[in-house]
Amino acid sequence: MERALVAAACRVLVARGLADGLLGHVSLRVDDDHLLVRCRGPEESGLGRTLTADVRLLTFDGREAAPGELADGYTPPNELPLHTAVLRARGDVGAVVHAHPAAVVALDLAGRTVEPIVGAFDIPGTSLARGGVPVFTRGVLVRDRLVATEMVAAMENRPVVVLRGHGLTSAGSTVQRAMLQAISVDRIARLTLAILAAGGQPVPLASADLDDLPNLGDALNEAAAWRHELARLNTAPLERDGT
Ligand SMILES: [Zn+2]
């Protein structure tokens, strides 16, 4: 079930345009030294074709947590330290999403940040943007513990950090939350770029209106939002995968 959730999240990343091709991964904490993470096997055909079998149980050091987890030519992601550094540093985090959304990268390279420029358009996204979406200014692969620790520091305990020239990392208590956060940040980035392209100036919504936005009740709305993400993926499940 949990493996199927991680696999479905990978497919949602592609369906929502946050990932293209092979790059990106989702992880889920099992305990303080184990995680489920999307790995690559010999039949790798892209993030959008992720199957439950592509999600493997590893230790935080990238070793197989049980015999066979890295059998069949499977390997952990190069950027596994990106996931484990967040999980190690933040006990509140249960899941990590990493992707390379072009709009988010373009927004940062254009000298812009993710701001609460909208209101009722996307209330959870606005709330996230209002609290700040920091930027990790190194454009490198996060493949060792040192760089990953720098990224976690740049993240400043916020839900999402933009990785300059690279993508984003989203951390949530659940896979669903981490995913929905990433989708919101990408949506606001696209909107900001569209406003700029139309000759407008994106500015934060007035504080009074931001203050007036209701908290919609996270758990209930997240459950519905996630069902929607799964429903819009495809009505025909992938072969050999029941999600
Ligand atoms: Zn990456």
Side-chain angles (χ1 to χ4, degrees):
M1 189 69 184
E2 289 178 327
R3 292 183 198 236
L5 172 64
V6 172
C10 292
R11 302 200 296 271
V12 170
L13 277 178
V14 175
R16 279 293 194 177
L18 273 74
D20 182 25
L22 303 175
L23 305 176
H25 13 79
V26 176
S27 67
L28 173 65
R29 180 200 295 276
V30 173
D31 59 31
D32 287 345
D33 192 40
H34 298 89
L35 79 168
L36 287 167
V37 63
R38 203 280 191 190
C39 293
R40 280 196 199 165
E43 303 293 322
E44 175 66 49
S45 57
L47 202 62
R49 307 302 297 169
T50 301
L51 298 173
T52 300
D54 297 324
V55 179
R56 301 295 171 116
L57 180 63
L58 306 182
T59 68
F60 280 10
D61 292 330
R63 290 173 285 114
E64 59 182 5
E69 288 291 342
L70 285 178
D72 317 323
Y74 269 83
T75 55
N78 284 330
E79 295 190 289
L80 184 71
L82 173 152
H83 294 262
T84 55
V86 177
L87 294 171
R88 279 189 168 109
R90 294 174 54 176
D92 60 314
V93 171
V96 178
V97 171
H98 172 57
H100 300 173
V104 172
V105 173
L107 183 78
D108 172 56
L109 295 179
R112 296 279 174 161
T113 53
V114 177
E115 300 288 340
I117 57 171
V118 288
F121 177 78
D122 177 357
I123 293 176
T126 299
S127 172
L128 196 165
R130 192 181 194 190
V133 180
V135 178
F136 177 49
T137 56
R138 299 192 65 194
V140 298
L141 209 59
V142 185
R143 63 182 171 184
D144 64 49
R145 206 160 166 170
L146 184 63
V147 176
T149 302
E150 290 177 6
M151 183 203 73
V152 170
M155 200 170 184
E156 299 172 340
N157 288 321
R158 292 292 302 152
V160 178
V161 61
V162 172
L163 313 182
R164 178 156 297 162
H166 183 177
L168 63 72
T169 298
S170 177
S173 54
T174 62
V175 168
Q176 292 90 330
R177 180 167 296 192
M179 282 294 301
L180 294 169
Q181 290 169 178
I183 292 168
S184 282
V185 165
D186 180 63
R187 183 184 291 131
I188 293 175
R190 289 172 190 248
L191 195 61
T192 306
L193 292 172
I195 293 166
L196 290 167
Q201 277 301 321
V203 293
L205 200 68
S207 293
D209 282 4
L210 289 172
D211 291 342
D212 194 55
L213 293 172
N215 181 337
L216 295 174
D218 291 341
L220 185 64
N221 281 281
E222 268 177 24
W226 187 247
R227 279 196 300 274
H228 169 69
E229 294 301 330
L230 297 181
R232 71 190 297 282
L233 259 186
N234 199 326
T235 51
L238 284 174
E239 191 182 355
R240 291 181 289 119
D241 212 62
T243 54

